[in-house]
Amino acid sequence: AVFRNRLYLVVRGLNDGIWYNRMDDDEDWDGWVEVPGGGRTTGSPEAVTYGGLLWVFVRGTDNRIYYNRLNREGNWSGWAEVPGGGLTLSGPGAASFRGYLYLFVRGTDDRIYVNRLSPLGLWSGWSEVPGGGLTLAEPEAVVFRSELNLFVRGTDNGIYQNLLRQNLWSGWSEVPGQGRTPSGPAAASFRNLLWLVVRGTDDSI
């Protein structure tokens, strides 16, 4: 995620701790530092900028969903559970869209759930993303052309998309090309194009 004109990369360490590194305009990296607070994760962390803060979301070792926030002064808030009592079997996905922070997870029933944070700091609570989709990996969310694009790996290893336009979801449809993946997808908006990246069944990218 980009925060205060620096690129932040957040990973799960070999000790299951959450580590970050950041790059400046000169493409110099600071080096790896563990996110304070002693958090542990068994999945891929998610980083997103919202409300002037850098948010990091993780799946805890108890399968609950936790967050930590970095402010402009360089201080971390400490780990706290996302309200609503949600559980996940994979890392979360998140995106800032139309003034709200959207957080997506794979539930323990493999359904895809969303929790939304308002500008007033209130969480909506967990609800299923409409369409009846199922996934075996972490969801991926990205904003492109004023739409929130949600991508998942289906139970058939196909790659599926659900679009949020205004307040209505389009429903799940397979991304054209008959691609297959054994992992969660990654996506980004770059130079007016939407880029989708996956691990193929041959482990190529």
Side-chain angles (χ1 to χ4, degrees), residues 15 41 51 54-55 57 69 90-91 100 115 128 157 161 190:
N15 64 345
T41 186
L54 176 68
W55 296 69
F57 294 98
R69 300 175 298 186
S90 302
Y100 290 85
N115 203 338
E128 186 179 353
N157 290 340
Q161 177 185 32
F190 179 65

Side-chain angles (χ1 to χ4, degrees), residues 175-197:
V175 174
Q178 299 181 336
R180 292 293 181 266
T181 183
S183 303
S189 174
F190 179 65
R191 294 186 180 274
N192 297 317
L193 294 171
L194 177 59
W195 298 75
L196 183 62
V197 186

Side-chain angles (χ1 to χ4, degrees), residues 81-110:
E81 185 179 353
V82 174
L87 299 173
T88 185
L89 299 176
S90 302
S96 174
F97 180 63
R98 293 187 177 274
Y100 290 85
L101 176 57
Y102 285 79
L103 180 63
F104 300 95
V105 299
R106 167 197 177 193
T108 55
D109 57 1
D110 293 335

Side-chain angles (χ1 to χ4, degrees), residues 11-19 34 39-41 45:
V11 303
R12 168 193 176 191
L14 295 178
N15 64 345
D16 290 338
I18 300 99
W19 296 73
E34 189 166 0
R40 292 293 181 266
T41 186

Side-chain angles (χ1 to χ4, degrees), residues 119-177:
L120 299 178
L122 301 175
W123 289 92
S124 63
W126 294 103
S127 61
E128 186 179 353
V129 174
L134 300 172
T135 188
L136 299 175
E138 63 273 9
E140 174 75 344
V142 63
V143 176
F144 178 68
R145 291 181 179 171
S146 301
E147 297 174 337
L148 179 59
N149 295 255
L150 181 61
F151 296 98
V152 298
R153 165 201 175 191
T155 54
D156 60 354
N157 290 340
I159 301 119
Y160 293 86
Q161 177 185 32
N162 204 336
L163 294 174
L164 180 60
R165 301 183 179 100
Q166 301 294 336
N167 292 315
L168 296 176
W169 289 93
S170 65
W172 294 101
S173 61
E174 188 169 2
V175 174

Side-chain angles (χ1 to χ4, degrees), residues 47-112:
V48 62
T49 303
Y50 176 74
L53 302 168
L54 176 68
W55 296 69
V56 175
F57 294 98
V58 299
R59 168 197 179 191
T61 54
D62 57 1
N63 290 340
R64 298 183 183 275
I65 303 107
Y66 295 89
Y67 70 92
N68 206 333
R69 300 175 298 186
L70 178 65
N71 65 21
R72 293 178 177 273
E73 289 72 38
N75 300 315
W76 291 91
S77 63
W79 293 103
E81 185 179 353
V82 174
L87 299 173
T88 185
L89 299 176
S90 302
S96 174
F97 180 63
R98 293 187 177 274
Y100 290 85
L101 176 57
Y102 285 79
L103 180 63
F104 300 95
V105 299
R106 167 197 177 193
T108 55
D109 57 1
D110 293 335
R111 298 183 184 276
I112 301 106

